[in-house]
Amino acid sequence: QVQLVESGGGLVQPGGSLRLSCAASGRIFSVYGMGWYRQAPGKQREWVTNITRGGTTNYADSVKGRFTISRDNAKNTVYLQMNSLKPEDTAIYYCNADVFEPLSVTMRPYWGQGTQVTVSS
């Protein structure tokens, strides 16, 4: 089995920064796409950003220019640097990873347990 463990959430003032990390561990052959989603109170989970194994990135318009996703393939870890945070960024942030399973020759998505980010003065 594969586990994703997030860290780095917390309380920050508007305009501040936080860095989230998500490490994949377990029976891993290869991790392909990785990304971050978030879910604010009373709202559906939304996609925030993703990064391919080769480093190509995509961002939601709401975070473009403020958030930066990166990854360390050797450590099967993805990072999310969040700058210029706004109250509307408050949410539980979940990481996601597509893991290749050689026995079935398929890609399987895994999710982390989530980490709370609160932006408030």
Side-chain angles (χ1 to χ4, degrees):
Q1 279 289 36
V2 175
Q3 299 82 37
L4 299 183
V5 178
E6 298 122 333
S7 61
L11 173 64
V12 63
Q13 292 186 342
S17 298
L18 281 175
R19 188 186 193 222
L20 306 183
S21 299
C22 173
S25 62
R27 297 173 64 87
I28 296 174
F29 182 80
S30 186
V31 180
Y32 284 80
M34 302 185 82
W36 292 92
Y37 289 70
R38 66 186 182 185
Q39 187 167 17
K43 294 187 177 181
Q44 290 188 333
R45 188 176 299 189
E46 65 174 0
W47 168 76
V48 176
T49 179
N50 68 278
I51 183 169
T52 68
R53 185 171 178 82
T56 300
T57 59
N58 297 283
Y59 297 93
D61 288 343
S62 59
V63 307
K64 201 171 292 183
R66 301 187 297 121
F67 290 11
T68 302
I69 188 172
S70 60
R71 66 187 287 172
D72 184 333
N73 289 334
K75 296 181 179 180
N76 290 323
T77 299
V78 64
Y79 306 95
L80 182 63
Q81 178 66 44
M82 304 184 293
N83 299 329
S84 302
L85 282 161
K86 305 174 181 179
E88 52 263 43
D89 294 318
T90 296
I92 300 174
Y93 283 70
Y94 299 90
C95 72
N96 164 268
D98 291 323
V99 179
F100 178 70
E101 303 201 331
L103 291 181
S104 58
V105 195
T106 58
M107 301 289 287
R108 179 177 175 179
Y110 288 89
W111 292 89
Q113 80 287 353
T115 185
Q116 177 70 48
V117 172
T118 302
V119 185
S120 175
S121 55

